[in-house]
């Protein structure tokens, strides 16, 4: 078999394996995207070696420049949390693996793929455990204005072992609104939410 075709097939397999994991988790960059990233990086590397680029580092720089547009497309901000960074870095890593295959480092690329799968599949359980112990959540409370602020809720948050990262209050004609970013365990968030849902003074609540 032609070595270049062999390398392209390996790159296709690497992209398919990583893309299948992303597709399973319903990420914006899934199976086809990862395959195309791996294949294109591999092909660009093969062509540059055949053509004879004087400075090989320029090839990597140009590939990474193109990947910047893909990475920006999968990152978005949701409330106080930024999502898609893991998918963006996975695209970056998939391109690096494709380049390694194109340069002839098959074993290195396969070992790199194994490490990527370990990070994506197994370390997510470690991440979830850490988040259950300490997670940030935004609370919004709207009450009828009764000539006082909502500072009593900040005292309430402390009783549930919550750390107030940021707070703001806003008064309109007959309403007063409060917004807080709280950090605490998932269990304490659950208890606090249950209490707030049963607070008769709260007219609107989001969390």
């Amino acid at each position: 078999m032609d070595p270049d075709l062999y390398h392209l097939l390996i790159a296709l397999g690497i992209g398919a394996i990583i893309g299948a994991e992303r597709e399973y988790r319903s990420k914006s960059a899934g199976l086809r995207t990862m395959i195309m990233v791996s294949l294109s990086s591999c092909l660009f590397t093969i062509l540059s070696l055949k053509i004879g680029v004087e400075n090989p580092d320029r090839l990597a720089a140009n590939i990474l420049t193109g990947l910047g547009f893909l990475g920006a497309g999968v990152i978005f901000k949701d409330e106080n949390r930024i999502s898609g960074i893991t998918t963006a870095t996975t695209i970056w890593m998939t391109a690096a693996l494709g380049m390694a295959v194109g340069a002839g480092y098959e074993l290195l690329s396969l070992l790199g793929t194994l490490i990527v799968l370990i990070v994506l599949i197994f370390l997510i359980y470690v991440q979830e455990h850490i988040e259950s112990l300490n997670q940030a959540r935004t609370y919004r409370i709207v009450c009828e204005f009764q000539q006082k602020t909502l500072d009593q809720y900040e005292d309430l948050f402390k009783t549930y072992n919550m750390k107030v990262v940021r707070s703001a209050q806003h008064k309109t004609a007959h309403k007063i609104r409060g917004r807080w970013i709280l950090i605490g365990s998932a269990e304490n968030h659950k208890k606090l939410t249950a209490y707030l849902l049963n607070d008769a003074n709260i007219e609107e609540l989001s969390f």
Side-chain angles (χ1 to χ4, degrees):
M1 179 183 293
D2 180 57
D4 295 335
L5 179 58
Y6 175 66
H7 289 158
L8 286 174
L9 290 176
I10 294 178
L12 186 150
I14 289 174
I17 292 171
I18 298 175
E21 189 279 336
R22 294 285 85 189
E23 194 77 43
Y24 179 77
R25 299 190 184 279
S26 300
K27 300 301 181 180
S28 54
L31 182 64
R32 292 181 298 174
T33 302
M34 293 303 178
I35 289 176
M36 296 302 290
V37 168
S38 180
L39 277 175
S40 60
S41 299
C42 178
L43 185 57
F44 276 128
T45 304
I46 292 174
L47 290 175
S48 68
L49 294 175
K50 285 185 173 297
I51 295 171
V53 179
E54 294 182 0
N55 298 316
D57 58 321
R58 292 177 58 188
L59 169 70
N62 289 329
I63 292 177
L64 293 177
T65 299
L67 289 173
F69 292 98
L70 292 177
V74 298
I75 298 176
F76 59 93
K77 189 175 185 299
D78 182 18
E79 295 294 337
N80 63 311
R81 186 183 182 92
I82 297 177
S83 303
I85 294 181
T86 300
T87 300
T89 53
T90 303
I91 291 175
W92 195 30
M93 184 62 183
T94 303
L97 294 172
M99 291 179 64
V101 175
Y105 297 97
E106 298 95 338
L107 181 58
L108 177 64
S109 62
L110 293 175
L111 289 175
T113 303
L114 178 61
I115 294 173
V116 170
L117 291 177
I118 291 174
V119 172
L120 292 178
I121 296 174
F122 297 105
L123 290 189
I124 190 172
Y125 299 105
V126 177
Q127 179 181 339
E128 289 176 350
H129 178 66
I130 294 174
E131 289 181 351
S132 69
L133 297 176
N134 194 51
Q135 62 179 235
R137 188 179 296 180
T138 301
Y139 289 82
R140 292 185 179 86
I141 294 176
V142 179
C143 296
E144 182 180 355
F145 182 62
Q146 299 176 343
Q147 303 302 320
K148 62 179 182 179
T149 63
L150 299 176
D151 291 343
Q152 74 272 18
Y153 286 107
E154 293 197 13
D155 296 331
L156 173 68
F157 300 151
K158 294 176 182 178
T159 64
Y160 285 90
N161 296 320
M162 292 291 178
K163 178 182 177 182
V164 180
V165 177
R166 191 178 305 163
S167 64
Q169 297 186 35
H170 175 68
K171 175 189 172 297
T172 57
H174 304 290
K175 307 287 183 182
I176 183 167
R177 294 173 169 81
R179 179 180 180 275
W180 298 267
I181 298 178
L182 307 180
I183 294 180
S185 68
E187 184 63 26
N188 287 340
H189 277 295
K190 183 178 179 180
K191 292 178 181 178
L192 174 61
T193 301
Y195 179 89
L196 295 176
L197 288 172
N198 290 290
D199 189 332
N201 294 320
I202 296 178
E203 296 183 358
E204 296 179 25
L205 172 66
S206 64
F207 52 90

